[in-house]
Amino acid sequence: QDLKQCSNIFTTYAKNVLESALYPYITERIYDSNSVSSLSHNEIVFQAIIDREGQEAQLKFEHPGFEWDVKDVRIPSCMKDVLPLSVRNGPMSRLIQKSSSQQTPASCRVEPQFVSTFDNKTYPYTLNDCEHLLVKDCSGSIPVAVTARGSQGQGQKIVKIVSGQSYVEIKPEQGSIINGVYINGQHKPMRQGETFKKFSHETGRLSLEIQSYLDGVIVVREFQSNLEVSYDGQHIEVVAPQLIRTRACGLCGDMNGETTADLRSPKMCVFQKPRIAAYSYMMPETSCQGVPSQDKQEYESEIRQCVRKVVVPTPLDELTHRFVRVKSGPSGIVNKHIVEYRANGNEICFSKVALPVCRRGSVPVIGQMSSTPFTCFLTHTERAQHIKTKIQANERVSVLKMLPTSYTRMIEEASGCRNPSEMHSSSSNSHSSSSSHYQPSTGRFQPQIYNY
């Protein structure tokens, strides 16, 4: 009896709360619970249906004797991108995406009439029958690329995925994409709801997974690079690995978190219209349409001009030197990575550890010899320039310790620094000085330190 009374109190309380909060949206229906309802006396049913965009909800509250329909309730903005719940992307993944402004992980969508980049910039574009590069690691560090092209009839597309040692091609065959899955050139027909898994011969770990859902969507996951591609024949979604952040290129943008100049050509040219810039990622073939005739003149003009985005650093050179003088202390020593060039300037090398060196305008004195490992990059790469900029700002670059060693050589560390004027004034007394005093470095083992 007490349990029944408690249940009735809860039902009344829930009804009153919902009625007060959602009164403008409620449609109430009262009926004979004995003849209509299939619910038991103490049973309550609550249903919530969220639209695909996560904008509105339809609620239903049912109890023996009455039924509420709550229509067109707007979802709070704080719950956008979290609701509706997804089986493929769990609640934790959706929360991480929302907290990082859809950047972790970043996704790109290619729709029939537009493209939405990793940085949430949307521009109108329709794939023709030429192959287009959607995303690629343009630094060449990670072998990953996704391409797509339009096919004949109903706006369907052909998608190619290259990641590591896996090559997957999906194209519509016999009216369905599940009949057109090819793995490393081998045809792999799939059934709805089927999952294909491929394991690495070297490690025995799962390297590739292709899952076919009941709604006609195929999801390809490559675990070596953490690449994921979803495709239903017309719509493509690419979830790129975070390792290619700022190094991505293609129709999906550069994935640097900024919408400014998001879509640049392979030569880093910035076009006035993203749709015109997208043509630069079209792979020309004699059998495809190529750049549409109405846009060809504008495209060629933009290619000739090739306006580039240039980052102009703030002139804080003098302020930086003051900071270095304060930070280095009276001895004038500051810990800094050493920068060297090889192969006629085509390679730039950085010491993997920071060494004590003298600031500009001072001369090092003899110190101990140290075996110093270096790691090298091609000078023109974006990553090399980024590391060089951080070293110029006297920052520690801890990631250098984890990179492969290109070569090792002996470096003479500075044990102290002296001004050239002090050395000149003390040269007359050098013959009477004790041999235990510090002597200027011979420079024999001095590293090639470039002051920028």
Side-chain angles (χ1 to χ4, degrees):
Q1 184 68 24
D2 292 340
L3 182 61
K4 181 178 180 180
Q5 184 178 2
C6 183
S7 176
N8 291 333
I9 293 174
F10 173 76
T11 303
T12 304
Y13 178 76
K15 178 182 176 182
N16 292 337
V17 170
L18 289 174
E19 186 174 13
S20 61
L22 304 173
Y23 179 77
Y25 309 97
I26 290 178
T27 300
E28 186 177 40
R29 187 166 62 92
I30 301 176
Y31 54 87
D32 185 1
S33 59
N34 296 325
S35 59
V36 179
S37 177
S38 60
L39 304 178
S40 63
H41 181 69
N42 297 321
E43 189 174 359
I44 299 174
V45 175
F46 182 79
Q47 294 179 344
I49 302 175
I50 314 295
D51 68 352
R52 293 179 64 89
E53 300 298 327
Q55 301 286 346
E56 295 182 346
Q58 316 295 328
L59 308 179
K60 186 175 182 179
F61 181 82
E62 187 177 357
H63 182 69
F66 70 91
E67 180 180 293
W68 282 350
D69 286 325
V70 185
K71 298 183 178 180
D72 302 330
V73 179
R74 294 194 63 80
I75 302 297
S77 59
C78 62
M79 297 302 294
K80 188 179 179 181
D81 301 323
V82 176
L83 296 176
L85 299 178
S86 171
V87 175
R88 185 167 62 90
N89 299 322
M92 184 58 66
S93 176
R94 301 290 288 273
L95 287 172
I96 292 174
Q97 275 194 317
K98 183 173 178 61
S99 62
S100 62
S101 299
Q102 308 299 315
Q103 293 297 307
T104 307
S107 63
C108 167
R109 291 181 294 116
V110 181
E111 304 288 346
Q113 302 296 330
F114 67 87
V115 177
S116 179
T117 69
F118 293 122
D119 297 325
N120 298 320
K121 182 179 181 66
T122 302
Y123 62 93
Y125 193 76
T126 301
L127 298 183
N128 60 13
D129 60 343
C130 293
E131 193 163 9
H132 292 71
L133 178 65
L134 301 187
V135 61
K136 175 186 175 183
D137 179 10
C138 283
S139 70
S141 301
I142 301 177
V144 57
V146 181
T147 67
R149 68 192 306 165
S151 65
Q152 299 296 329
Q154 300 181 354
Q156 292 185 320
K157 302 175 180 66
I158 299 174
V159 179
K160 296 180 182 179
I161 305 162
V162 180
S163 182
Q165 298 180 352
S166 301
Y167 170 63
V168 179
E169 182 178 5
I170 307 175
K171 53 186 177 181
E173 288 187 0
Q174 301 175 9
S176 175
I177 59 173
I178 64 175
N179 297 320
V181 179
Y182 292 81
I183 304 173
N184 294 332
Q186 300 295 321
H187 186 213
K188 178 64 177 73
M190 299 189 67
R191 299 184 302 273
Q192 286 188 334
E194 181 183 0
T195 300
F196 169 82
K197 296 183 179 181
K198 178 183 177 183
F199 295 86
S200 171
H201 296 294
E202 292 81 8
T203 63
R205 296 181 178 177
L206 182 64
S207 62
L208 178 67
E209 180 182 87
I210 303 177
Q211 190 168 1
S212 172
Y213 288 85
L214 297 178
D215 59 356
V217 177
I218 288 183
V219 178
V220 179
R221 300 182 182 92
E222 208 285 324
F223 294 96
Q224 184 176 357
S225 62
N226 291 324
L227 174 70
E228 180 177 310
V229 179
S230 303
Y231 177 51
D232 66 354
Q234 294 185 344
H235 309 83
I236 306 170
E237 181 181 8
V238 181
V239 180
Q242 293 297 305
L243 294 175
I244 67 171
R245 191 173 183 84
T246 73
R247 305 199 306 262
C249 64
L251 298 186
C252 289
D254 53 13
M255 203 166 72
N256 66 351
E258 300 178 5
T259 57
T260 305
D262 190 24
L263 189 62
R264 288 179 278 183
S265 72
K267 294 184 179 180
M268 308 306 290
C269 305
V270 180
F271 292 13
Q272 291 185 0
K273 300 177 183 178
R275 177 174 56 84
I276 303 299
Y279 293 138
S280 62
Y281 290 104
M282 181 188 298
M283 303 178 188
E285 302 175 12
T286 57
S287 58
C288 73
Q289 299 175 10
V291 179
S293 57
Q294 65 270 21
D295 295 331
K296 196 166 186 178
Q297 184 176 355
E298 183 178 1
Y299 171 71
E300 292 176 349
S301 175
E302 292 276 14
I303 287 291
R304 288 193 298 268
Q305 295 178 16
C306 192
V307 178
R308 287 185 169 89
K309 178 182 177 181
V310 178
V311 178
V312 180
T314 305
L316 297 176
D317 187 65
E318 180 60 29
L319 181 61
T320 303
H321 290 156
R322 290 179 185 177
F323 172 74
V324 171
R325 284 197 292 271
V326 173
K327 185 177 179 181
S328 60
S331 63
I333 293 179
V334 60
N335 288 326
K336 189 173 183 178
H337 292 276
I338 297 173
V339 182
E340 298 185 348
Y341 289 89
R342 300 196 312 174
N344 296 324
N346 293 321
E347 282 190 357
I348 184 170
C349 305
F350 309 104
S351 64
K352 298 176 67 173
V353 294
L355 299 177
V357 297
C358 294
R359 59 180 175 84
R360 183 189 301 179
S362 59
V363 178
V365 296
I366 295 175
Q368 64 179 0
M369 301 298 297
S370 173
S371 177
T372 306
F374 285 76
T375 184
C376 298
F377 302 84
L378 293 177
T379 304
H380 68 275
T381 59
E382 186 174 352
R383 189 179 190 186
Q385 296 303 315
H386 177 68
I387 295 175
K388 175 183 168 184
T389 303
K390 297 187 73 172
I391 293 176
Q392 289 174 351
N394 297 296
E395 295 183 23
R396 296 284 186 92
V397 188
S398 57
V399 71
L400 292 175
K401 294 181 179 180
M402 298 181 287
L403 298 177
T405 300
S406 301
Y407 65 92
T408 302
R409 74 182 188 88
M410 301 298 294
I411 299 294
E412 186 182 63
E413 297 182 2
S415 61
C417 302
R418 301 179 65 180
N419 292 326
S421 58
E422 295 176 358
M423 294 179 58
H424 179 72
S425 62
S426 61
S427 61
S428 58
N429 301 324
S430 61
H431 296 289
S432 60
S433 299
S434 171
S435 60
S436 62
H437 291 170
Y438 285 128
Q439 298 296 325
S441 170
T442 61
R444 180 180 178 187
F445 298 104
Q446 281 287 22
Q448 289 180 272
I449 303 174
Y450 293 84
N451 295 311
Y452 303 97

